[in-house]
Amino acid sequence: MNNSIYVIWKSPEKRRNYIVGEIERDGGYSFKYGAELEAAKKEGFQLFLPFQDEEKLYFSKMLFPIFLTRLPDKKRPDS
């Protein structure tokens, strides 16, 4: 079972998707910025306010509130 998801950002100008981070679940949640962060920043991506340190690995016992409303509903037929 995969316990991680990628955080994707779409450039509004070029419409290209960038993997800007990753969330992992293992007895809690962690977030770290991803390999495409620098390319996304050149296209206008701004760091998430709660995660201003690009090098830091963030931990929480619960899913970070910034991501709670961005996950697809489990009732969706394609999830």
Side-chain angles (χ1 to χ4, degrees):
M1 181 176 176
N2 190 348
N3 289 324
S4 66
I5 58 171
Y6 291 117
V7 178
I8 307 294
W9 176 79
K10 181 180 271 188
S11 166
E13 188 174 308
K14 292 188 177 179
R15 310 299 298 164
R16 181 183 184 274
N17 290 332
Y18 294 90
I19 299 173
V20 295
E22 184 176 359
I23 300 169
E24 287 192 44
R25 184 181 68 186
D26 186 16
Y29 295 88
S30 65
F31 171 78
K32 63 182 176 182
Y33 283 107
E36 295 182 329
L37 177 63
E38 290 305 316
K41 285 171 46 181
K42 289 178 184 175
E43 295 296 321
F45 175 78
Q46 295 181 3
L47 300 178
F48 298 116
L49 286 176
F51 310 114
Q52 289 293 300
D53 185 341
E54 298 174 24
E55 304 298 321
K56 185 174 179 179
L57 179 62
Y58 295 88
F59 292 99
S60 176
K61 290 183 180 183
M62 297 174 53
L63 183 59
F64 303 98
I66 190 172
F67 299 122
L68 278 173
T69 59
R70 292 180 164 92
L71 292 176
D73 189 331
K74 291 181 181 180
K75 295 177 184 174
R76 279 180 38 171
D78 63 341
S79 53

